[in-house]
Amino acid sequence: MSTATLSASVTHTAALARLGHALSDPTRAGVLLALREAPAYPSDLAEALEVSRQVMSNQLACLRGCGLVEAVPDGRRTWYRLADSHLAPALDELLRVVLYVEPGCCAGETCTCA
């Protein structure tokens, strides 16, 4: 048996922990999954995820702080998008992992995570 070697720096570890923190809340995870499809206004995200606008504002602030989403001013409004193009395929891959870990989580023709 070989000994494990640390191939990730402290910075990598901290960044991965921020991603884990972002995904640890169902609303934040829902926002990330919604934004992988298309950018959106906070009010639309709040309605889709059935949370108040205040809750959505707090969750978007957290995701901005984690570096996962960015705000884009649009006149008097602001819309949000994923901060990097690598995030959408990574979230898609995480959904495939979820199917491995919990195969019964998704069923029927409406499932889009497979």
Side-chain angles (χ1 to χ4, degrees), residues 25-35 40-53 55-57 59-60 63:
D25 179 86
T27 301
R28 289 192 299 266
V31 168
L32 291 172
L33 292 174
L35 293 179
Y41 290 105
S43 58
D44 296 334
L45 290 167
E47 183 178 331
L49 295 170
E50 299 179 347
V51 298
S52 70
R53 290 182 182 200
V55 166
M56 184 55 60
S57 177
Q59 300 299 7
L60 287 168
L63 292 170

Side-chain angles (χ1 to χ4, degrees), residues 16-30 32 59 62-63 66-68:
L16 191 57
R18 281 195 316 273
L19 177 61
H21 175 72
L23 292 172
S24 70
D25 179 86
T27 301
R28 289 192 299 266
L32 291 172
Q59 300 299 7
C62 178
L63 292 170
C66 290
L68 298 173

Side-chain angles (χ1 to χ4, degrees), residues 3-13 16:
T3 59
T5 59
L6 183 60
S7 61
S9 70
V10 172
T11 304
H12 291 112
T13 303
L16 191 57

Side-chain angles (χ1 to χ4, degrees), residues 72-90:
V72 179
D74 184 21
R76 296 178 73 187
R77 297 180 72 190
T78 300
W79 51 271
Y80 287 80
R81 65 182 174 202
L82 294 177
D84 186 85
S85 63
H86 294 93
L87 287 170

